[in-house]
Amino acid sequence: MTKTANMAATDSEAGDPLVGGDSVIRIECLHKFFGDNEVLCDINMQVKQKEVLCVIGPSGSGKSTLLRCIVFLEEYDRGRIYIEGKLLGFREAGGRLVRDSERNVSRCRRNVGMVFQQFNLWPHMTALGNVTEALVGVKRMPRAAANEIGSAVLTKVGLADKLDAYPSRLSGGQQQRVAIARALAMEPHVMLFDEPTSALDPELVGEVLQVMKQLANEGMTMVVVTHEMGFAAEVADRVIFMDFGQIVEEGTAADIFRVAQSSRLKQFLDTWRARNTNLPE
Amino acid sequence: MGLDFTFLPEYAPFLLKGAGIALLVSGVAISLGIIFGLSLCFVVISKNRVLSVLGRIYQSLFRGTPILVQLLVIYYSLPVLGIDAPPLIAAMAALTMNASAFQAEIYRGGFMAIPKGQIEAARVLGIGIWRTRVRILIPQMMRSVIPPLVNDSVSILKNSSLISVIAVVDLMRVSQQIAAVTFRPAEIYIVAGAMYLMMNLVLAWVGRISERRFGRHL
Amino acid sequence: MSFDFNLYVQYGPTLMAGLGFTVYVCALAALIGIVVGMVVAILQGLPVPPLRWVCRGYIEVIRGTPILVQLFIIYYGGPSFGLVLDAETVGIWGLGIYCGAYFAEVFRAGFESVPKGQTEAARLVGLSSARIIFRIKLPQMLILIIPPSINTLIMTIKESAILSIITVPEITKMTIQMVNETYAVFEPYIALAFLYWVIIEIVSRVGRAVEARISYL
């Protein structure tokens, strides 16, 4: 059965971050404005451990903004985001919420990894260099240890032979896999994917989705914003459909793709089906 | 009334010494200019409004007034401020402050060309702002700014000719002294010009080589 | 440390005269520079190798040596060539030839920047060569040329301060005179820096306005 967003809100007790038990990410009454434009409107959701959550919806529905709020790349205006029980980006000061220091924000999102649509690799470093930079710079590992972990994780994504390659010499799919490896190397508890395959040529999409499926099978908690409905249908535990900054429908993959309740979701999936043919029935 | 260069060999050592001073002052200004220019660049692009505005004012002052005026102001202000510095130091200070303002603009261009996503990725990974600047931004900024840097270096070398005005015995000042003694101003200044030209041609050549070496990967 | 405003009252007229002279010198020099630059840029574009070399040589030598050296050669060395000119003439022509080399580069870049596709499309549609140059190349070149030309103009204004060294009575010379006579340092030089800064800001703003007007992109 699908639930609509408001029902989820009444289940939780506002203000108590630990309700919901093992939720890795918990979002309450989230609002975000760009000027006068409300891009996120009353978002309430949780992500539990080992859960794979896919976020689908038309362009401009706020999906990316939502993800960016979770890592505080965008500062949210109202509501709360909890990462593993800790309030993100703000702290209580005299009964109000005050913007937290960059250091605390960093500490709070330490266990969150993110993969971007544009990969965002650093072009002047090799694949291994990209992957180990944070290990050396943040975790203060010695170079040798970092290189070991880096090689292992690059091997895991299938790029064992590309350790010393520069991003300019790698295909889009390979670059994105390096990006995934870079995030994985820090041993995150949850991985966020912001349209990871949207910037790739169609032939290269598969290799990235393969890596993501593997991660899901290994029990990684994942939130994936994607247009790849096949992937969502196959791998997601839960799917959220967003439109105009709101969660319109959410439920299990089976529910969403088979028994779409809201007309907007039906419309969205029909448009998608008209253009693609591999949505399982 | 022809041109007579025969006096040259006798005065060559002095000319070379003068050129050496010009190169010394320019070299210091270029090197320190890179360091201060980078720092100023980060001040100007900083999110701190006050810092950013102050940085822009500094840039506007040093890029929007003649270097000669800056030289004179700094040279005559130092004693008033209680700093007892020889003309050579005042000259280096003025040229460096001037160079920093121009270089900061060049680096700002380099910085703007770096996709913001790279900084975001670093932030999410927990890499602090200073490490991000040193390991990720500066290496890329340096590579894309070599041609404007070389042009700037040529300007700095040419600007150094003005330090003769505040009594530094550089190539220009030596030339003036030799002209006063030999009464052959045309010849001596043509030689001085040729020397500056040669130094600048070498600079441009160094620039082309650096661009070839550092321009890869991007 | 006191700031003596009376000095400004006293030297106001002198400084203003200097300012006027600076504007006069820069305007003439810029004019010379633009004409020289245009000529050189056009000559450089002609398929006559010796001409190209001469033009290239002029540009490289003038841009590769300090303007002070060039002025000294003409002013102090001129008599050796039979060229006896007063400071003002040397200043204006020296500055004009100097910025001419920079304008030449700006114009050359402008010529080369008009996308080839435009000329090809025009030819295909049947426009004559002359019409192509005047109706398609030139107008677009104008837009491309304005920002770097404004920068060159600003550079010319700043370099004009050097004319003071060969005793041209422009604003810097007048200020130095004021310093020598009054032994004051702050008041004169601050005023000087301020005046240059104002002139250059005005030129920048005007440049941006002209750019906005002409640009139809």
Side-chain angles (χ1 to χ4, degrees):
Chain A
M1 267 303 149
T2 58
K3 282 198 280 192
T4 53
N6 290 324
M7 281 170 65
T10 55
D11 281 344
S12 68
E13 278 151 81
D16 184 347
L18 291 179
V19 170
D22 51 358
S23 68
V24 179
I25 299 176
R26 181 179 188 76
I27 302 179
E28 291 173 1
C29 310
L30 187 72
H31 292 260
K32 167 80 187 150
F33 293 85
F34 281 133
D36 286 332
N37 197 10
E38 189 169 27
V39 291
L40 289 177
C41 181
D42 198 27
I43 304 283
N44 292 276
M45 55 176 267
Q46 311 180 33
V47 183
K48 296 216 170 59
Q49 264 187 31
K50 299 199 193 291
E51 191 175 32
V52 175
L53 174 69
C54 279
V55 182
I56 64 176
S59 300
S61 52
K63 320 189 292 292
S64 287
T65 311
L66 176 61
L67 231 57
R68 290 168 65 86
C69 283
I70 296 177
V71 279
F72 218 65
L73 280 176
E74 302 286 351
E75 202 174 306
Y76 55 94
D77 297 310
R78 236 188 285 162
R80 291 169 187 233
I81 298 181
Y82 295 94
I83 308 234
E84 295 181 308
K86 265 199 292 189
L87 180 60
L88 171 73
F90 297 91
R91 58 184 169 81
E92 312 259 1
R96 295 190 304 123
L97 283 186
V98 158
R99 171 85 157 83
D100 214 346
S101 67
E102 191 63 25
R103 196 134 49 69
N104 285 341
V105 171
S106 242
R107 216 179 292 157
C108 188
R109 66 168 173 226
R110 182 179 13 200
N111 295 319
V112 181
M114 180 146 177
V115 174
F116 298 85
Q117 184 177 351
Q118 302 296 337
F119 332 139
N120 289 337
L121 293 181
W122 304 309
H124 58 297
M125 296 183 184
T126 60
L128 188 61
N130 265 275
V131 173
T132 56
E133 180 59 27
L135 291 174
V136 172
V138 181
K139 290 199 169 170
R140 307 226 174 274
M141 263 186 214
R143 225 345 111 189
N147 282 348
E148 253 190 70
I149 296 184
S151 316
V153 100
L154 276 169
T155 307
K156 185 175 156 122
V157 300
L159 291 171
D161 57 334
K162 298 282 185 197
L163 296 182
D164 294 321
Y166 283 93
S168 55
R169 295 251 181 264
L170 298 174
S171 74
Q174 291 169 330
Q175 288 186 52
Q176 191 62 300
R177 283 189 276 154
V178 173
I180 295 176
R182 179 174 65 176
L184 278 180
M186 294 293 280
E187 298 179 335
H189 296 171
V190 54
M191 288 271 281
L192 307 181
F193 293 82
D194 187 1
E195 301 201 31
T197 57
S198 295
L200 296 176
D201 289 337
E203 317 92 65
L204 302 173
V205 167
E207 63 194 63
V208 173
L209 293 182
Q210 190 54 42
V211 169
M212 290 167 67
K213 274 186 211 158
Q214 187 188 342
L215 278 179
N217 288 338
E218 289 169 2
M220 172 66 76
T221 315
M222 293 163 60
V223 180
V224 184
V225 170
T226 184
H227 290 297
E228 295 289 329
M229 303 302 166
F231 173 82
E234 198 186 322
V235 180
D237 295 314
R238 273 169 55 231
V239 175
I240 282 180
F241 173 66
M242 283 181 70
D243 197 8
F244 291 119
Q246 294 179 297
I247 296 179
V248 175
E249 225 179 299
E250 70 177 291
T252 65
D255 293 335
I256 290 283
F257 289 116
R258 241 175 267 168
V259 197
Q261 295 260 0
S262 62
S263 58
R264 184 70 192 92
L265 178 55
K266 283 205 185 82
Q267 195 181 14
F268 178 72
L269 290 177
D270 284 339
T271 316
W272 195 89
R273 281 196 193 96
R275 294 206 189 125
N276 302 270
T277 50
N278 48 352
L279 187 63
E281 279 299 307
Chain B
M1 177 192 45
L3 289 179
D4 175 15
F5 289 92
T6 51
F7 65 94
L8 254 190
E10 187 186 339
Y11 291 96
F14 297 103
L15 284 172
L16 286 173
K17 193 145 173 273
I21 298 283
L23 282 173
L24 172 67
V25 174
S26 306
V28 167
I30 294 171
S31 324
L32 290 182
I34 293 179
I35 299 175
F36 290 131
L38 264 175
S39 313
L40 180 60
C41 172
F42 286 124
V43 167
V44 168
I45 63 183
S46 137
K47 297 222 177 79
N48 182 330
R49 263 310 209 78
V50 173
L51 277 181
S52 178
V53 167
L54 283 178
R56 283 212 166 278
I57 292 180
Y58 177 96
Q59 267 193 312
S60 181
L61 275 178
F62 279 91
R63 296 197 321 155
T65 55
I67 174 78
L68 180 60
V69 174
Q70 294 164 22
L71 261 169
L72 291 170
V73 169
I74 291 177
Y75 179 63
Y76 286 111
S77 312
L78 287 183
V80 176
L81 292 173
I83 305 176
D84 184 22
L88 189 62
I89 303 294
M92 287 184 191
L95 280 182
T96 300
M97 290 177 78
N98 180 276
S100 311
F102 283 94
Q103 301 242 346
E105 196 56 24
I106 295 176
Y107 294 130
R108 199 175 68 91
F111 170 77
M112 290 301 180
I114 299 176
K116 294 295 160 283
Q118 289 185 29
I119 303 176
E120 290 182 345
R123 259 180 85 190
V124 177
L125 284 165
I127 301 177
I129 185 140
W130 277 106
R131 197 178 167 92
T132 304
R133 284 177 178 165
V134 170
R135 297 278 301 168
I136 294 168
L137 296 179
I138 292 182
Q140 294 185 70
M141 281 158 73
M142 293 309 294
R143 279 163 214 237
S144 69
V145 301
I146 295 206
L149 219 63
V150 169
N151 279 341
D152 236 37
S153 303
V154 167
S155 289
I156 294 174
L157 186 58
K158 290 198 296 179
N159 285 341
S160 75
S161 66
L162 297 173
I163 64 182
S164 53
V165 167
I166 57 173
V168 177
V169 187
D170 73 319
L171 183 52
M172 278 312 290
R173 185 51 79 128
V174 166
S175 307
Q176 283 173 292
Q177 291 167 345
I178 300 179
V181 169
T182 63
F183 296 102
R184 301 219 149 271
E187 290 87 334
I188 189 69
Y189 292 129
I190 290 178
V191 167
M195 287 175 78
Y196 275 110
L197 188 59
M198 252 187 331
M199 291 192 277
N200 279 327
L201 287 178
V202 169
L203 256 178
W205 176 75
V206 168
R208 272 195 295 272
I209 298 204
S210 317
E211 200 184 344
R212 235 173 281 156
R213 256 208 89 229
F214 291 113
R216 305 192 228 127
H217 312 315
L218 290 180
Chain C
M1 202 172 21
S2 60
F3 202 85
D4 187 359
F5 281 99
N6 280 329
L7 286 175
Y8 291 146
V9 172
Q10 213 184 330
Y11 278 89
T14 322
L15 293 181
M16 285 303 116
L19 184 62
F21 211 81
T22 291
V23 173
Y24 160 68
V25 163
C26 289
L28 280 187
L31 213 58
I32 295 174
I34 290 175
V35 170
V36 169
M38 188 58 87
V39 167
V40 169
I42 292 181
L43 287 182
Q44 226 195 340
L46 298 177
V48 183
L51 258 182
R52 295 237 292 273
W53 290 7
V54 166
C55 292
R56 199 72 233 159
Y58 158 73
I59 294 176
E60 293 297 326
V61 168
I62 298 292
R63 278 163 47 118
T65 53
I67 184 176
L68 189 57
V69 175
Q70 297 170 29
L71 289 173
F72 275 23
I73 292 179
I74 305 176
Y75 191 58
Y76 293 117
S80 305
F81 301 108
L83 204 64
V84 182
L85 302 166
D86 62 291
E88 182 184 325
T89 315
V90 172
I92 293 175
W93 281 95
L95 191 56
I97 293 176
Y98 183 73
C99 67
Y102 285 87
F103 276 117
E105 280 292 88
V106 168
F107 297 152
R108 183 185 65 86
F111 283 155
E112 292 175 3
S113 301
V114 181
K116 281 230 162 45
Q118 305 232 358
T119 342
E120 287 168 1
R123 228 175 264 288
L124 281 177
V125 172
L127 292 177
S128 75
S129 281
R131 225 176 157 73
I132 289 182
I133 291 185
F134 282 107
R135 300 276 297 171
I136 294 175
K137 270 195 134 187
L138 237 39
Q140 300 207 55
M141 225 183 67
L142 227 58
I143 301 173
L144 292 170
I145 278 178
I146 301 254
S149 295
I150 297 290
N151 282 340
T152 307
L153 181 59
I154 290 177
M155 182 204 79
T156 306
I157 297 174
K158 290 195 286 182
E159 300 289 338
S160 74
I162 300 178
L163 263 41
S164 62
I165 302 181
I166 56 169
T167 73
V168 173
E170 42 77 69
I171 182 75
T172 303
K173 176 85 170 51
M174 297 290 105
T175 307
I176 294 180
Q177 194 176 307
M178 179 179 166
V179 169
N180 289 340
E181 287 174 14
T182 67
Y183 296 101
V185 163
F186 269 134
E187 293 89 338
Y189 285 130
I190 287 192
L192 183 61
F194 178 71
L195 284 172
Y196 272 114
W197 187 78
V198 164
I199 300 178
I200 289 178
E201 262 304 302
I202 294 179
V203 171
S204 293
R205 300 268 169 107
V206 169
R208 278 197 286 263
V210 169
E211 221 185 315
R213 273 296 197 77
I214 291 195
S215 165
Y216 46 65
L217 289 167

